[in-house]
Amino acid sequence: MHAYHYRGRLVAACAVLLLAGCGSVRHATQYDREFAAAKGMKIEVGSTINVTGRSYEEDIVLMFRDALSQELSDRNLLWSPTGTTPHMVLTTRIVEYEPGYSLKRWLIPGWGTALCSVHCELKHSDARTLLGSIDVRRTISIGRFAGARAVVENVAVDVASQVKREIKAK
Amino acid sequence: MMRIPYGRAAKAASAALVVLLLGGCATAWEPRGSYSRTEQTRLAIQSTPPAQVSVNGKVVGTTPATIALQYGREVAMKSRKIAYLRSEPGWALFLTGITFGFYIPIGCIPLDIQTEFEPRDVFKENVFAVEITAEGYEPWKQHVVCKGEETQDTIAILTKK
């Protein structure tokens, strides 16, 4: 009777894990020791370049730019072109990307992994001084449908969160 | 009664499995190209007497000054396929547990991707023409080469005309 009781919960937990998807995340940030963001300083989404050396069915550059703009906007950090105050510019290089394959991830965890890795640089808009860099790598290796878009959006969330955390700390 | 000699085969299979688990399964590293990232070196300039500083023909301040010099650095990428037991041991052990050990041989197959980034000593636009000028003194010029250092110091002593 106890086995049946726990088996149902275990199946439910596995179903949730598979639908949500599981993977790994890695962050690395480096900021100039004299980095001091002025209060209320906003961020412009600068150039985003695909340096993977490969082309994909989906436009990953546009996907990432849209996701990053949305995340910065949600955190009240997105710069508006109508503003005249100095701001920061966040440029991105997409260094690694694999769209993965949903069916493979559902069949064998670790197979068909979706991954996205970016190198972002934060610069001052006027002086063009390098204020800091952020490296993020995310994978979805178990379950999840639409992993390609999800992994790119999750990386954008990570980048925006890291920037927000650093600005708040200063 | 005939005894089935499975003892040695089972031991050999277990030993092979242990070797696989300990060594892990991975393919050879493959180069994946490179990209350029921005490096920054802070150049601290002092001069006698205090004077105007120009970098690559553009006035940037007066001494003593600390100037941020930016340039490109090549970063090489290489990747390989790696067993999930090595890349994500926690998740692999969890899957092994809920599948009662069935996942172990699957977890040894190199399916996941591992990537490494190696900054190279290859730089782009890392030579800066620094010029210090003051009225009544000969201009002081020097080419500063940056190679990924956090800081560099320069002291200029100007000579009168």
Side-chain angles (χ1 to χ4, degrees), chain B residues 33-79:
Chain B
S34 63
Y35 70 95
S36 179
R37 75 173 188 209
T38 304
E39 288 280 349
Q40 182 166 275
T41 296
R42 288 195 171 272
L43 178 66
I45 305 177
Q46 295 179 46
S47 70
T48 306
Q52 186 179 74
V53 184
S54 301
V55 176
N56 291 347
K58 185 181 168 187
V59 176
V60 294
T62 53
T63 57
T66 301
I67 300 155
L69 302 175
Q70 296 175 33
Y71 47 98
R73 183 174 196 169
E74 193 176 287
V75 178
M77 298 183 284
K78 62 179 183 180
S79 65

Side-chain angles (χ1 to χ4, degrees), chain A residues 22-24 32-33 54 93 95-96 98 108-111 113 119 121 123 128-130 137 141-142, chain B residues 32 35-38 40 42 70 77 84 88 91 94-95 98 103 106 111-113 115 117 150-151:
Chain A
C22 306
S24 65
D32 187 67
R33 61 170 185 260
R54 294 157 61 183
R93 280 167 177 75
V95 299
E96 205 180 356
E98 290 289 340
I108 300 177
W111 193 27
T113 295
H119 171 74
E121 292 176 354
K123 295 182 181 178
R128 287 287 170 180
T129 311
L130 180 65
R137 185 179 193 264
S141 47
I142 304 175
Chain B
R32 292 282 298 269
Y35 70 95
S36 179
R37 75 173 188 209
T38 304
Q40 182 166 275
R42 288 195 171 272
Q70 296 175 33
M77 298 183 284
Y84 204 55
E88 297 293 333
W91 282 118
F94 171 74
L95 291 167
I98 62 171
Y103 182 71
I106 300 170
L111 298 172
D112 206 2
I113 301 170
T115 303
F117 301 92
E150 197 177 327
T151 57

Side-chain angles (χ1 to χ4, degrees), chain A residues 56-94:
Chain A
Y56 305 93
E57 273 184 29
E58 53 278 331
D59 188 342
I60 57 173
V61 168
L62 187 62
M63 211 188 302
F64 183 80
R65 285 185 66 89
D66 288 346
L68 184 60
S69 298
Q70 185 61 49
E71 293 303 324
L72 289 174
S73 177
D74 291 346
R75 289 163 177 75
N76 198 27
L77 286 174
L78 188 64
W79 174 74
S80 165
T82 56
T84 55
T85 54
H87 59 282
M88 296 180 280
V89 181
L90 189 65
T91 59
T92 304
R93 280 167 177 75
I94 301 174

Side-chain angles (χ1 to χ4, degrees), chain A residues 117-132:
Chain A
S117 179
V118 300
H119 171 74
C120 297
E121 292 176 354
L122 197 59
K123 295 182 181 178
H124 195 282
S125 61
D126 293 342
R128 287 287 170 180
T129 311
L130 180 65
L131 302 171

Side-chain angles (χ1 to χ4, degrees), chain A residues 7 23 27 34 38 72 88 94 105 108 112 134-135 142 161:
Chain A
R7 189 174 68 179
H27 300 147
E34 296 184 20
L72 289 174
M88 296 180 280
I94 301 174
R105 287 197 299 273
I108 300 177
I134 304 162
D135 293 280
I142 304 175
S161 300

